Amino acid sequence: MADSRMALRAEALESLLIEKGLVDADRIEETIAFYNERVGPMNGAQVVARAWQDAAFKERLLEDGTAAIQEFGFSGGQVDKLVVVENTPDVHNVVVCTLCSCYPWAVLGLPPRWYKDPAYRSRVVREPRTVLQEFGTTIPDSTKVQVWDSSAEVRYMVLPAMPRSWAGRAHDVLASKVSRDSMIGVQVLLD
Ligand code: FE
């Protein structure tokens, strides 16, 4: 229900902007297709694979995400201030936008439907372990779960932990194994 109301509002807004000559329909279609099909989460996966293989890059990435992804030519797309948070045995990170659906388009493409769902947005803050469980992700009690709330100013991406058995694999192979959900933090990568 909320979804279709949101879709109607978005459509109405789009029509209005076109009518007023503020944007054109082709440009909107192009933008959606670009982030959906050409960017997708593949950019983020490249970044993660590089961080796993290159300690100096990983340091730069955690220090300043926006600057580090520019080394790949990734910019714009809602990442003026990208903060990358690393999963470790001590902390598991998960990303949400409680207010709406802020998301780092330039590295992850367009957000999945569930990311925009009011239930995910409110529940992941209150009961993150339960929500993660519903994604099939069990975080050990000894690991702290940290929820990051995105905003118009700051976007987050999770640097997932690499399964040990993947060590030594080629960059492209690693990148192909990094899922979108692992970079949002609702999934842990397994062998
Ligand atoms: Fe938002």
Side-chain angles (χ1 to χ4, degrees), residues 108-125:
L108 298 187
L110 294 180
R113 179 176 287 267
W114 56 259
Y115 185 86
K116 300 181 266 186
D117 184 345
Y120 173 77
R121 286 157 38 204
S122 58
R123 288 184 60 232
V124 77
V125 178

Side-chain angles (χ1 to χ4, degrees), residues 69-86:
I69 66 169
Q70 275 168 9
E71 296 177 30
F72 284 81
F74 304 155
S75 63
Q78 325 280 309
V79 289
D80 289 337
K81 176 98 183 81
L82 178 70
V83 173
V84 179
V85 287
E86 183 186 17

Side-chain angles (χ1 to χ4, degrees), residues 97 99-102:
C97 174
L99 210 60
C100 42
S101 56
C102 299

Side-chain angles (χ1 to χ4, degrees), residues 42-63:
M42 287 80 84
N43 286 358
Q46 300 282 332
V47 171
V48 168
R50 170 88 186 273
W52 285 344
Q53 293 187 312
D54 177 345
F57 175 76
K58 177 173 139 182
E59 204 172 301
R60 293 197 295 280
L61 183 66
L62 296 175
E63 178 78 35

Side-chain angles (χ1 to χ4, degrees), residues 10 13 24 27 36 66 85 91-92 95 110 135 140 155 160 169 177 185:
L13 188 60
D24 74 83
R27 183 93 184 88
N36 227 3
T66 302
V85 287
V91 57
H92 177 89
V95 178
L110 294 180
F135 278 94
R155 308 294 164 99
R169 301 207 183 171
K177 289 172 164 288

